[in-house]
Amino acid sequence: MKIIPLTSTNIYEFECDDELTNKILDDIKQQQIVWQHSGLNEDEHNYSGYLGPIGSPIPYYHHELFTWFDDCLNTISKNHFDDIKLTICDSWLTKSNLGQYAIPHTHQLSIYSGLFYLSTHNTAETVFEYQDSTIKNLLGNVRIYSPLNKFISKSEKNKLVIFPSDMLHSVNINKDVRQTRHTIAFNTFYDGVISSIKTGLLDIKVNSVKNRYEAYINNKNNETM
C-alpha cells in the first residue's frame, strides 16, 4: 500500500514588536475586565475576559494591535483566498493561573483563529492536533494520538499564532508558580464579496470587533454625558 498525504493544513506564526506588547499589557491593567470561567471546576479550567458583562460580552480591542493582526491576516488571505478579506469578528482575553488548563476544543463559525501570547512560560503550551477529515465527519472531534498530527506551540511573549478554526487545540497545565499565563484570542470570518458570479453572488457584512468596541465606547460616553 502506498499512502500519499495531501494535508494542506497550515499554522502561521508572526512576531510582534516588544514595545507594542508592553503597551497592550499596560492597557489591559487599566481596563475593568469581566472574567468568565470556561469550565465546571474553577481550580482547573482557565478564564476568558471581556470588557462587558457576561450576558452581553464586549470583545477586547486595541487599535494599534488589531491593525497589526489585520496585516498578518491579509498575508494569509493573499496566499489562500485571492485577497478575500478575513475580518476579526470576536476577541477575548484568556488567563491561566497555577494548575489551570484548557480542554481540547475547536472554534465554530470561524475561518481562522488567532492566539497572541502576552507572556513567556516554560509550561502551559498550546497543543494543536490535526484531525483527518474522514474521521472527523464520521465521529466528530475524536482525538487520534500520533506524533505526526500534533504541533506544540510554546508560550512565548510577542508571538502570534494563526490557525484553522476547526483544528483541535488545548492548553497544557500552567505549572509556573510565579506568573499567570495571559493571551489574546480572536476569531475571523470572510468579509465582503466572496463570489461575484451571477448564479452565486455572496456578499457578507461582518459585525467586526472594531465596530462592536466603538459602539460600546460611544454608549459609555453617552451615559456619562
Side-chain angles (χ1 to χ4, degrees):
M1 180 179 70
K2 182 179 180 181
I3 299 177
I4 303 175
L6 296 177
T7 303
S8 59
T9 301
N10 294 320
I11 296 175
Y12 302 89
E13 287 187 358
F14 301 87
E15 186 172 359
C16 184
D17 180 75
D18 190 64
E19 182 178 350
L20 177 55
T21 303
N22 290 334
K23 188 183 299 184
I24 299 304
L25 287 168
D26 291 338
D27 177 70
I28 291 173
K29 291 177 182 178
Q30 298 173 18
Q31 301 281 355
Q32 293 182 342
I33 306 300
V34 179
W35 293 102
Q36 179 179 1
H37 194 253
S38 60
L40 298 177
N41 190 332
E42 294 188 8
D43 294 330
E44 296 179 350
H45 300 292
N46 64 7
Y47 290 84
S48 299
Y50 300 90
L51 299 180
I54 293 176
S56 55
I58 304 300
Y60 176 79
Y61 179 79
H62 184 281
H63 179 73
E64 188 175 358
L65 179 67
F66 277 65
T67 298
W68 180 70
F69 286 167
D70 286 338
D71 290 340
C72 298
L73 289 167
N74 289 338
T75 300
I76 296 174
S77 294
K78 290 178 181 178
N79 290 335
H80 289 282
F81 307 124
D82 295 327
D83 286 341
I84 293 176
K85 183 175 177 57
L86 287 170
T87 292
I88 298 177
C89 55
D90 197 14
S91 66
W92 60 97
L93 302 169
T94 65
K95 69 173 180 178
S96 299
N97 297 318
L98 178 66
Q100 293 184 325
Y101 59 90
I103 62 175
H105 63 284
T106 60
H107 293 191
Q108 298 180 349
L109 300 178
S110 174
I111 307 302
Y112 272 88
S113 297
L115 183 65
F116 180 59
Y117 296 95
L118 294 167
S119 54
T120 298
H121 295 268
N122 293 325
T123 61
E125 307 96 337
T126 307
V127 180
F128 296 94
E129 299 178 59
Y130 171 74
Q131 304 168 91
D132 180 86
S133 59
T134 302
I135 295 176
K136 181 180 177 182
N137 290 336
L138 290 174
L139 303 177
N141 290 327
V142 175
R143 302 178 71 184
I144 307 297
Y145 291 93
S146 167
L148 299 179
N149 70 353
K150 181 180 292 186
F151 168 70
I152 298 178
S153 175
K154 294 183 178 180
S155 297
E156 297 172 330
K157 182 183 178 183
N158 303 325
K159 182 168 69 176
L160 170 64
V161 180
I162 298 179
F163 57 95
S165 301
D166 64 350
M167 177 173 283
L168 200 67
H169 57 286
S170 58
V171 179
N172 288 335
I173 295 175
N174 182 11
K175 299 177 181 179
D176 193 336
V177 298
R178 300 167 300 174
Q179 192 178 21
T180 299
R181 174 188 185 269
H182 284 97
T183 63
I184 297 174
F186 63 79
N187 289 331
T188 70
F189 205 80
Y190 301 124
D191 193 6
V193 177
I194 309 302
S195 173
S196 59
I197 59 177
K198 294 181 179 180
T199 56
L201 178 62
L202 184 60
D203 190 356
I204 298 175
K205 302 299 183 184
V206 173
N207 188 9
S208 69
V209 163
K210 179 180 179 181
N211 292 340
R212 291 163 62 191
Y213 174 77
E214 290 178 345
Y216 167 71
I217 295 299
N218 289 335
N219 288 337
K220 287 187 63 175
N221 292 336
N222 291 335
E223 290 174 358
T224 57
M225 292 178 62

